[in-house]
Every structure is written in C-alpha cells, then in structure tokens.
Amino acid sequence: MNMIEVVDLCYRFADGTQALTEINMTVERGEFVVMAGPNGSGKTTFFRHLNGLLSPARGTVTIDGVDVQHDPVLARQRVGMVFQDVDMQIVGETVYDDVIFGPENLGLGRNEIERRANDVLIMVGLSDQRDRHPHQLSQGEKRRLAIAGILAMQPDVIVFDEPFTHLDDSGVCIVLEQMLKLHHGGITLLVATHDLEKVICYADRLVLINAGRIVEDGLPKMILPKVEKYGVRMPCALRMGKEVWPWLAH
Ligand SMILES: Nc1ncnc2c1ncn2[C@@H]1O[C@H](COP(=O)(O)OP(=O)(O)O)[C@@H](O)[C@H]1O
Ligand SMILES: [Mg+2]
C-alpha cells in the first residue's frame, strides 16, 4: 500500500482562487520527493492538505489508508511540516520549551517528553542552545529547531516548504545534511522548492506543479530537461550542457 494517496484533490480559496485542480499523487514509505513549481503554483496549498491544515473542496488525502479528514490529529502527528517562515513555527520562550510543545500536546509522560527533547536537540546539534530564546537563533538554527520540534513528535513523513529561504551557504548545507539523515533513517520526505539546484541530486522523484495541476512526475533525470517549460530554473550545470546525470541519485 502507498503511504500517501492523494485522489482527485481540488481546493479553492474563499476568494474564489482555484489553487489545486484534480491532484493525483502517491508516495511510498521512505521516498524523497521534490515538488517544484513557480511561485503561486500551489505547492504550499498542496502540502497543507497532507496534515489537515486545509480541507479538500473535493477529493481525498489518505495516510496509510486513514483519511486525513477523519483523523486530523493523527495526520498532524504523522506528517510534520517545516514552514517556509520558520518564525511562524516558534512557540516556546526557550529552545527546549519550543521542542517539548508538541510532545506535551500529545499528552506524553514527563520522562518521555524529556527523553525525546534531549534526543532531538542532539540530533539537530542544538543541545548547547537549549536555554536560548528561539528568536536569538540564526535562520539556519531556527530551521533546525523547527525540525527538532517535528522530530519530537516521531512523524513518519516530514514536509519541507521552501527549506532554503533566507539561508546562507552554510545554513543550506546544515539543513541538507539534516534532510539526508532523516532520509537514511527511513523518514518519507517531501520538499517544495522553486530552487532545484540544491536538492535535486538527492531526490528519488521530481514532481512538477503548474497552476494547481501536476504536470510531470517521475525520475529526476527524466523530468529535469522539461522544467523550464513550466517556469522552474534548471540547475546551472544542466543549463551549461554539462553531464550531471552521474550526480543524480536517480
Ligand atoms: N490565503 C489565500 N487566499 C487566496 N488565495 C491564496 C491564498 N494563499 C494562496 N493563494 C493562491 O493560491 C495559489 C497557490 O498558492 P501557493 O500554494 O501559496 O503556491 P506556491 O506555494 O507554489 O507559491 C496562488 O494563486 C495564490 O495566490
Ligand atoms: Mg509556497
């Protein structure tokens, strides 16, 4: 069974904007999927359906056979989302408090909450920052904090919405390193970006979305040559005609 199944998903905002039209997509457990499309193509709106932040106008989203609409609490625990604007995700007065927010809401015992918080702070390399105010962190550290808060919920899927926004080179590298660790740990990853350069060489699959519709879905090496047709910038090396295929995971 596919882990994520999206069938005929349509969504329209209250002002009448048709943001998603008949989206059909499946994701297998452990896959690393990149979704690319120009600004306004529907990436964020699509991702918000995976954990029940938005409800479909039509169609269904199921996670391991459970309809997200029927059990949004479960969906939110199983599908963690790292927002594009990391400041919006900060809820705690300290790094540690921020990380325990999710597990506390799950109603876990004190020992389990502390164990999880300590483990995930080590995982993302923020143990020595646990007493700092989150707003004092760098953009890269904030994104790692968001990842820690999600990992503390022990999700099966992590969705990254434009994870490289406002990061400098070292921030990009650290976030990429986290993603690869999660991928190798068996977590299913979906990454929305209009910037393929940084991440595509690690992905199993590339999905292109344009004007709310999925227009291509397949192995990166098959889809990359078509991206410019849909307003997505091609990685430099490819544009220059260099042979990048050996770098691609798939
Ligand atoms: N809150 C909203 N109200 C009305 N329209 C919206 C809202 N959020 C996004 N949209 C519109 O929905 C479409 C998809 O947007 P979005 O999912 O944010 O795209 P992306 O993440 O690919 O940039 C765009 O036309 C956008 O203008
Ligand atoms: Mg977006």
Side-chain angles (χ1 to χ4, degrees):
M1 181 168 59
N2 289 306
M3 182 173 201
I4 302 175
E5 281 205 22
V6 179
V7 178
D8 291 335
L9 171 62
C10 298
Y11 186 78
R12 183 197 290 265
F13 282 99
D15 69 355
T17 306
Q18 183 70 32
L20 300 174
T21 306
E22 286 168 19
I23 302 272
N24 286 286
M25 184 176 166
T26 57
V27 180
E28 283 175 39
R29 185 178 303 280
E31 260 192 305
F32 186 157
V33 180
V34 169
M35 178 175 265
N39 277 335
S41 54
K43 303 181 293 295
T44 299
T45 307
F46 174 66
F47 278 8
R48 284 173 171 261
H49 282 83
L50 299 178
N51 68 351
L53 286 173
L54 291 175
S55 309
R58 211 149 56 77
T60 54
V61 178
T62 54
I63 312 289
D64 279 335
V66 180
D67 190 324
V68 169
Q69 288 307 297
H70 291 167
D71 198 343
V73 175
L74 179 69
R76 227 155 283 177
Q77 188 263 311
R78 299 199 57 196
V79 182
M81 177 149 164
V82 181
F83 295 131
Q84 175 168 18
D85 180 356
V86 280
D87 287 298
M88 274 181 53
Q89 203 149 7
I90 292 171
V91 289
E93 290 291 314
T94 65
V95 165
Y96 183 81
D97 283 348
D98 198 76
V99 169
I100 64 173
F101 181 81
E104 277 186 335
N105 277 341
L106 290 181
L108 301 172
R110 190 42 50 193
N111 289 345
E112 175 66 9
I113 291 173
E114 280 176 20
R115 194 184 58 75
R116 285 193 189 189
N118 290 331
D119 286 354
V120 298
L121 285 172
I122 291 170
M123 255 187 255
V124 303
L126 287 178
S127 288
D128 52 347
Q129 315 273 353
R130 53 188 287 143
D131 298 321
R132 284 183 75 193
H133 195 285
H135 290 291
Q136 294 172 329
L137 301 178
S138 71
Q139 282 292 320
E141 286 168 335
K142 282 182 191 171
R143 205 153 259 133
R144 277 146 65 198
L145 175 59
I147 295 171
I150 284 161
L151 285 176
M153 307 280 280
Q154 301 191 337
D156 304 295
V157 183
I158 301 186
V159 170
F160 289 85
D161 195 3
E162 305 281 358
F164 309 115
T165 307
H166 304 313
L167 294 188
D168 59 14
D169 279 349
S170 73
V172 169
C173 287
I174 291 168
V175 168
L176 268 175
E177 193 188 342
Q178 291 297 331
M179 282 182 185
L180 294 179
K181 267 199 232 167
L182 299 172
H183 181 46
H184 292 141
I187 289 187
T188 307
L189 294 182
L190 275 85
V191 179
T193 184
H194 58 270
D195 183 6
L196 288 172
E197 191 98 47
K198 299 185 173 80
V199 70
I200 197 59
C201 58
Y202 308 109
D204 299 314
R205 207 167 125 198
L206 176 57
V207 176
L208 298 185
I209 183 167
N210 191 261
R213 292 175 188 270
I214 289 181
V215 288
E216 299 285 347
D217 180 348
L219 293 175
K221 69 177 171 192
M222 304 305 288
I223 307 299
L224 275 170
K226 307 178 189 177
V227 297
E228 298 213 315
K229 196 163 73 174
Y230 300 108
V232 174
R233 203 158 19 99
M234 207 178 250
C236 279
L238 249 187
R239 239 187 359 248
M240 295 187 303
K242 292 233 173 86
E243 184 55 79
V244 294
W245 310 130
W247 301 356
L248 289 169
H250 299 278

